[in-house]
């Protein structure tokens, strides 16, 4: 049986990263548990201290297929290349890739370099905090 998992991304501004990645992936910011109007209400109701602003946020697949992605503020900045990264799969046509790349740049991503290999190409990009990802 498969194991459920989430992806956790260290960052400086969890809310900004949630906004970017929810737009990039078609995800939504995770709603509070049933019966609560906000995460703050849930935390207060369960005697859990409120975290500092912009320090934690999560996004989820509205179709409940993809994994939950959690963003956590950490004190240290990103310093080296990611050992793991996400690939955003477009419709694989040149126009489809270009359109997705354009949407991501508009949302705050940066193009790094185009890679042409094995008869195809993909774009290496950075999210707003400099984490690498690719559009394939």
């Amino acid at each position: 049986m498969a194991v459920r998992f989430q992806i956790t991304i260290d960052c400086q501004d969890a809310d900004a990263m949630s906004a970017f990645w929810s737009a990039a992936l078609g995800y939504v910011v995770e709603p509070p548990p049933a019966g609560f109007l906000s995460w703050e209400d849930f935390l207060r109701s369960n005697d859990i201290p409120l975290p500092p602003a912009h320090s934690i946020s999560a996004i989820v697949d509205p179709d409940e297929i993809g994994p939950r992605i959690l963003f956590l503020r950490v004190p240290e900045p990103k310093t080296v290349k990611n050992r793991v990264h996400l690939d955003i799969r477009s419709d694989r046509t040149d126009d489809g890739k270009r359109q997705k790349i354009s949407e991501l740049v508009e949302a705050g991503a940066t193009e790094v370099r185009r890679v042409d290999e094995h008869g195809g190409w993909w774009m290496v990009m950075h999210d707003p905090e400099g984490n690498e990802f690719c559009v394939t």
Side-chain angles (χ1 to χ4, degrees), residues 4-130:
R4 291 182 50 148
F5 67 96
Q6 75 178 4
I7 298 168
T8 302
I9 299 176
D10 293 346
C11 63
Q12 296 297 304
D13 186 332
D15 294 337
M17 291 292 280
S18 281
F20 172 79
W21 282 104
S22 61
L25 300 175
Y27 272 40
V28 297
V29 173
E30 184 175 39
F36 295 93
L37 296 177
S38 69
W39 279 103
E40 291 79 12
D41 290 344
F42 170 79
L43 295 172
R44 282 188 193 102
S45 176
N46 289 283
D47 294 321
I48 300 170
L50 293 177
H54 312 292
S55 65
I56 185 169
S57 185
I59 61 174
V60 293
D61 177 352
D63 296 324
E64 300 180 354
I65 296 169
R68 177 181 192 250
I69 302 177
L70 177 67
F71 300 94
L72 290 175
R73 180 188 294 155
V74 296
E76 66 277 354
K78 180 185 177 316
T79 57
V80 297
K81 184 181 185 309
N82 303 7
R83 295 287 294 180
V84 175
H85 70 266
L86 301 181
D87 284 348
I88 296 176
R89 298 175 69 186
S90 67
D91 70 8
R92 302 222 177 205
T93 66
D94 285 353
D95 287 342
K97 287 183 211 175
R98 287 187 191 99
Q99 180 178 345
K100 188 63 178 176
I101 291 164
S102 178
E103 291 170 9
L104 293 167
V105 167
E106 189 172 312
T110 305
E111 291 181 46
V112 175
R113 72 180 174 284
R114 178 178 161 143
V115 179
D116 291 278
E117 285 186 9
H118 311 293
W121 67 275
W122 64 88
M123 182 65 69
V124 178
M125 302 187 77
H126 283 166
D127 73 12
E129 291 198 6

